[in-house]
Amino acid sequence: MGRTGLYVGMAIAALLTGGCGVAVSDADALPGAAAHTSAATTQAPPKQRFGAGGAGSVTSSDSPAFPLVLRRTGGIAGFDDRIVLDADGRLRVETRSVHGRVCTLAGPLQRQLVTLLATLRLGVPLAETPSDQFTQVDPGAAPESDPISISVTDDHARDIDLSDPSLGEIAGLVAGLVSDVTLSAPATTRCTTPTAPVVAPGP
């Protein structure tokens, strides 16, 4: 009888021990499982979209934006001319001696020039490589004038490089236009120049 009671006590103790066991979750059993589950259920923040459509979108274009500004500087005469060219062929001319001149390109020239300029692609100008060489200057030589330079920039102040030999046609048209509209009396372009008011001599 005493031995039977001992067996019964041991069985009850085993049942109690099994019922009070500590539950082990899958996450505790596998340390990497919790991180994997969290990464799978957590959504990444939405990426910002660039381009047309959508608030705050950023767009860019490689083509020049009108109006264009044509500048001629340098030369013996010390040119400082500024011509604003609109896409419709209207020009506004300012030079050292001409102010407020308005010109209009003829239809064929307007279409040709504007189309050629609008199809140009804006490139990143290459930085000039500094040179260690220098040129000897003759003190007795006559000073040289700055070369004549014609530059073109678009409405966003981006440079349009016309020095490429393949752009000779466009460069020639631009140079011819600048030379004509800045004359005292333009030869081929229809222009209107305000007449300076005549100031009556004082008494």
Side-chain angles (χ1 to χ4, degrees):
M1 185 69 181
R3 181 175 296 181
T4 302
L6 177 62
Y7 289 158
V8 172
M10 292 175 62
I12 293 174
L15 290 174
L16 291 176
T17 303
C20 295
V22 178
V24 179
S25 65
D26 293 339
D28 294 333
L30 299 174
H36 177 74
T37 304
S38 176
T41 56
T42 303
Q43 295 182 355
K47 296 182 179 180
Q48 187 175 3
R49 301 178 64 89
F50 296 90
S57 61
V58 177
T59 60
S60 62
S61 174
D62 291 332
S63 299
F66 285 82
L68 305 181
V69 177
L70 318 179
R71 290 291 306 273
R72 181 176 64 172
T73 57
I76 297 177
F79 292 116
D80 187 11
D81 309 328
R82 185 177 188 272
I83 299 98
V84 179
L85 171 62
D86 293 327
D88 60 0
R90 182 172 179 265
L91 301 110
R92 287 159 286 169
V93 182
E94 294 288 336
T95 72
R96 293 185 185 276
S97 58
V98 176
H99 304 284
R101 174 177 289 173
V102 176
C103 304
T104 304
L105 294 179
L109 178 58
Q110 180 266 336
R111 287 189 293 270
Q112 180 187 19
L113 184 59
V114 170
T115 300
L116 289 174
L117 289 171
T119 55
L120 291 178
R121 296 180 67 84
L122 298 168
V124 178
L126 298 177
E128 294 184 0
T129 303
S131 175
D132 295 334
Q133 299 179 353
F134 60 92
T135 304
Q136 289 281 357
V137 178
D138 183 2
E144 296 182 359
S145 61
D146 294 334
I148 296 176
S149 173
I150 296 179
S151 62
V152 184
T153 55
D154 76 342
D155 193 41
H156 300 301
R158 298 176 296 182
D159 292 331
I160 303 172
D161 186 10
L162 298 180
S163 62
D164 192 315
S166 64
L167 302 177
E169 179 184 4
I170 306 176
L173 287 173
V174 170
L177 176 64
V178 172
S179 297
D180 185 58
V181 298
T182 54
L183 291 173
S184 299
T188 60
T189 311
R190 185 180 61 185
C191 298
T192 302
T193 306
T195 303
V198 177
V199 179

